[in-house]
Amino acid sequence: MQILSLFNGMSIGKMALETLGAPVTKYYSSEIDKYANQATQTLFPDTIQLGDVTRWREWAIDWASIDLVTGGFPCQAWSMVGNQLGDKDERGMLFWNMLDIMKHVKQHNPEANFLIENVKMKKEFEQYITMHTENALGKVHKILINSALVSAQNRNRYYWTSFEVKQPEDKDLLLDDIVENKVPSKFTLSNKMMNGFYNKKGDFGKRFKPLIIGETAKANTLTARYFKMAITDNYIKIGTTRSNGYGVNTRKLTPRECFRLQTVPEQHIDTLLNAGISNTQLYKMCGNSWTHDVIVHILKTLDKEL
């Protein structure tokens, strides 16, 4: 297979293909974030970097050789927690660059497949994206999958594909399954940092409420900003106000725990943590990433079709 990955990030698509044992002869990556590219080249040195997706007409590619195009186009313009300007936002316009590329590939290889991903969004946007994808690429299958089925993280994402995909089986993973046993003290939140979690009423704001590890605990959706997600290092229930005295040893999730929430294989986590990339950039990269096991599930379906 020859793969063209748009908005490649840290190459979760390549990881998933590796997990499936798929024979990838060439893997092209279009990504402008230098830290994501550093991660990709550390993990997969044979990746062919193409650069900015808006300059795709300059790429030296045998378009007819591409078997699969993937694209997790930027979500900020489409997300319900974003500005919701859609393609009136400059970042939202990248949707059209992606479609142009996929259409160009299909013109040269009608048998090429595609996989598109983005956040759960308002129905108007979802229908708009579906309609224009069908107009450009033909038959489209759409599915909303929550990563909670295969991970310890709630993460609803839409997937548009050239092949039918069903829901993955529930693996019943909980936050308790991914936490590290021993965590350096640098991840513990100081009193000053803890105060940043509270609103003016002295309660945890809805967005910053620490995670409670227990029988039904799932992590919140990771984001590029990582937004002060926290848990307790001794696994006791955290209270919701300063007055009750709980949460004294509250800490941040570690980069390893965040990668585990995205079900990144452990050997690749080790590589990423030793790649000389700062924790800030690792958190951002992870928040922007796909959930590995969801992509494995989707590509496994394609593999069966092929």
Side-chain angles (χ1 to χ4, degrees):
M1 297 179 69
Q2 295 197 26
I3 313 298
L4 172 56
S5 175
L6 310 176
F7 317 105
N8 180 64
M10 61 179 183
S11 295
I12 290 294
K14 181 67 179 292
M15 287 186 200
L17 290 164
E18 178 188 72
T19 297
L20 290 169
V24 178
T25 55
K26 286 186 180 179
Y27 187 87
Y28 296 97
S29 165
S30 174
E31 176 60 63
I32 61 172
D33 185 285
K34 68 177 184 179
Y35 299 104
N37 285 334
Q38 181 181 342
T40 288
Q41 295 306 133
T42 302
L43 291 165
F44 307 110
D46 59 345
T47 299
I48 303 169
Q49 295 285 353
L50 300 172
D52 192 337
V53 72
T54 65
R55 304 183 67 174
W56 67 271
R57 295 185 186 279
E58 302 173 12
W59 295 347
I61 291 179
D62 176 9
W63 296 99
S65 71
I66 301 299
D67 300 296
L68 171 67
V69 190
T70 63
F73 60 104
C75 67
Q76 294 89 342
W78 308 92
S79 171
M80 287 187 284
V81 297
N83 56 25
Q84 298 192 60
L85 292 176
D87 55 8
K88 294 179 177 63
D89 183 305
E90 184 178 357
R91 295 165 297 184
M93 284 295 294
L94 294 172
F95 165 69
W96 293 105
N97 293 107
M98 179 189 69
L99 277 194
D100 285 344
I101 294 169
M102 291 184 171
K103 185 176 180 179
H104 190 71
V105 170
K106 293 282 283 184
Q107 288 171 345
H108 287 79
N109 178 13
E111 300 302 315
N113 286 284
F114 60 86
L115 162 61
I116 300 170
E117 178 267 358
N118 211 283
V119 297
K120 184 178 181 181
M121 59 189 71
K122 62 183 181 180
K123 190 173 183 179
E124 174 189 343
F125 281 164
E126 174 268 303
Q127 291 177 336
Y128 182 82
I129 289 170
T130 302
M131 177 186 70
H132 286 290
T133 303
E134 288 179 335
N135 290 341
L137 305 177
K139 179 66 175 178
V140 172
H141 300 271
K142 179 199 69 187
I143 188 170
L144 180 68
I145 297 178
N146 189 344
S147 295
L149 290 171
V150 298
S151 74
Q153 175 193 191
N154 281 301
R155 190 181 189 85
N156 276 300
R157 292 292 185 268
Y158 275 114
Y159 300 89
W160 294 266
T161 57
S162 53
F163 48 95
E164 187 175 2
V165 177
K166 297 181 180 180
Q167 293 290 334
E169 294 183 6
D170 193 343
K171 294 183 178 181
D172 295 318
L173 292 172
L174 302 175
L175 187 59
D176 207 21
D177 296 318
I178 64 92
V179 293
E180 296 190 73
N181 292 324
K182 294 182 179 180
V183 175
S185 59
K186 67 180 181 180
F187 292 103
T188 301
L189 297 178
S190 66
N191 289 335
K192 181 178 180 180
M193 295 175 71
M194 278 296 295
N195 286 336
F197 281 79
Y198 298 99
N199 58 29
K200 293 181 180 180
K201 295 181 180 180
D203 296 325
F204 284 115
K206 182 179 180 181
R207 191 178 182 188
F208 298 143
K209 187 175 181 180
L211 303 173
I212 300 172
I213 297 180
E215 294 181 357
T216 60
K218 292 273 190 181
N220 305 324
T221 302
L222 292 172
T223 71
R225 295 185 177 181
Y226 180 60
F227 75 77
K228 295 183 178 179
M229 191 181 292
I231 61 175
T232 61
D233 59 359
N234 55 355
Y235 317 133
I236 60 172
K237 182 175 180 180
I238 308 175
T240 57
T241 67
R242 281 176 282 192
S243 60
N244 61 24
Y246 288 101
V248 175
N249 295 316
T250 306
R251 68 169 175 84
K252 296 189 295 183
L253 289 171
T254 67
R256 182 179 295 276
E257 289 167 337
C258 289
F259 283 122
R260 285 176 175 174
L261 288 176
Q262 293 287 41
T263 63
V264 175
E266 205 72 15
Q267 73 271 20
H268 290 323
I269 298 177
D270 291 337
T271 300
L272 289 166
L273 295 182
N274 290 291
I277 302 172
S278 70
N279 283 348
T280 298
Q281 293 301 327
L282 290 174
Y283 284 134
K284 177 183 176 182
M285 197 185 307
C286 196
N288 281 329
S289 178
W290 288 347
T291 303
H292 171 268
D293 284 9
V294 172
I295 305 304
V296 168
H297 167 74
I298 293 172
L299 295 181
K300 185 185 294 183
T301 303
L302 172 60
D303 183 53
K304 289 179 180 178
E305 279 208 5
L306 294 176

